[in-house]
Amino acid sequence: MTDAPFPNRLDRAEQIILGLAERQAETQTQVDELRQGMRELSQEMRELTSNVDRVLGRSAILDDVLLELRDSHEQHQRNFEEHQRTTNAALQSLESILVQLIRNNS
């Protein structure tokens, strides 16, 4: 009877070792899957960062274009107002000349 517990203990130790080996293999599979997931996530982050950099670069260009358009619009507005002012002044002068001519002919 002293020999009977010994094989049971060996069987039990073998079962434990086999169970640990199986869990270790499962854990290794999970680690490999996590590594692959991390690689994919890293690639997606690089792509996202690249996209963000591209968008920010375009945004800066558009901001510059917008400022130039605003300045250009303001300059055109000033030019229009000046043109309108000088045109009105010229029309007033022509009106005065016309009134003077009409008076002279009457």
Side-chain angles (χ1 to χ4, degrees):
M1 279 198 152
T2 58
D3 289 341
F6 186 69
N8 284 338
R9 290 176 83 191
L10 284 177
D11 289 342
R12 180 72 180 134
E14 183 180 10
Q15 288 174 349
I16 291 171
I17 290 171
L18 289 175
L20 288 173
E22 189 176 309
R23 281 188 246 156
Q24 183 180 9
E26 290 171 2
T27 301
Q28 187 59 49
T29 300
Q30 291 172 345
V31 166
D32 293 343
E33 290 171 356
L34 286 172
R35 280 187 184 140
Q36 181 59 32
M38 288 298 294
R39 280 189 212 104
E40 292 170 4
L41 183 59
S42 293
Q43 179 61 33
E44 289 176 15
M45 287 300 295
R46 282 191 292 277
E47 291 172 7
L48 180 60
T49 300
S50 176
N51 289 341
V52 167
D53 289 344
R54 196 171 328 119
V55 167
L56 290 176
R58 289 178 181 172
S59 176
I61 291 170
L62 289 174
D63 288 345
D64 290 345
V65 168
L66 182 61
L67 288 174
E68 287 179 29
L69 285 173
R70 190 174 295 143
D71 290 345
S72 176
H73 173 72
E74 290 171 358
Q75 183 61 44
H76 284 298
Q77 183 67 31
R78 286 190 296 271
N79 289 348
F80 173 76
E81 290 169 359
E82 177 64 19
H83 177 69
Q84 190 174 26
R85 188 182 62 74
T86 57
T87 301
N88 287 341
L91 286 173
Q92 285 178 341
S93 292
L94 288 173
E95 186 179 346
S96 296
I97 292 170
L98 183 60
V99 167
Q100 188 69 24
L101 287 173
I102 291 173
R103 284 184 190 157
N104 288 343
N105 284 336
S106 295

